[in-house]
Amino acid sequence: MQQTILAISGKPGLYKLVTRGKNNLIVEALDATHRRQPAFGSDRITSLNDIAMYTDTDDVPLPTILESMKKLEDGQKASIDYKKASADELHEYFTKVLPNWDRDRVKNSHIQKLIQWYNILIEAGITDFEDETKEEAETKEEA
């Protein structure tokens, strides 16, 4: 998954970095609208590669969790409806994805957002969650 997939605090969904302006970034929504809009320095912008989730031992990077979801779902959209699922159903589903997740620090809303993001990425045709990260790491080691 590229560094160019972004989450912007206060704005729903995910965005792809298109270009950089003088004082902003131009991003494109990863939904059916593909609407482009500016994102400013005052917006809290985070690359999905920079996000991790808590476990009982170490934090697990988001691309690794998304890859685990892809294997669980055979590359299809999530089988659980994150909007209608109860807390117990969310916990049971997430335990299949990440067995040793920290039940104290990972909230239901985090699991819902993860499932929502996974579905957005699958719909947008972005399915190489870990592969590009490993390739980027290998390229950096060779340089």
Side-chain angles (χ1 to χ4, degrees), residues 49-109:
N49 281 347
D50 295 337
I51 298 173
M53 293 193 87
Y54 300 115
T55 66
D56 296 330
T57 53
D58 292 331
D59 294 348
V60 177
L62 190 63
T64 304
I65 297 168
L66 291 169
E67 189 65 33
S68 178
M69 285 182 74
K70 184 174 98 174
K71 287 177 185 168
L72 177 68
E73 300 292 353
D74 290 327
Q76 302 299 313
K77 287 177 63 173
S79 57
I80 187 171
D81 184 350
Y82 67 92
K83 293 179 183 176
K84 296 180 181 178
S86 68
D88 290 338
E89 290 171 331
L90 287 171
H91 293 182
E92 182 181 325
Y93 179 81
F94 197 55
T95 300
K96 292 177 190 173
V97 174
L98 188 64
N100 62 337
W101 62 284
D102 188 332
R103 281 146 180 82
D104 294 328
R105 296 194 289 177
V106 176
K107 307 294 182 218
N108 293 340
S109 62

Side-chain angles (χ1 to χ4, degrees), residues 3-59:
Q3 287 284 112
T4 59
I5 305 299
L6 309 171
I8 302 174
S9 182
K11 295 183 180 181
L14 294 174
Y15 299 86
K16 179 174 73 172
L17 176 64
V18 176
T19 188
R20 300 174 193 275
K22 280 189 174 183
N23 297 321
N24 60 18
L25 301 174
I26 304 300
V27 296
E28 180 180 297
L30 281 182
D31 59 14
T33 66
H34 296 290
R35 194 181 69 176
R36 291 185 178 193
Q37 60 189 14
F40 299 96
S42 60
D43 294 325
R44 212 168 78 212
I45 303 168
T46 308
S47 168
L48 293 194
N49 281 347
D50 295 337
I51 298 173
M53 293 193 87
Y54 300 115
T55 66
D56 296 330
T57 53
D58 292 331
D59 294 348

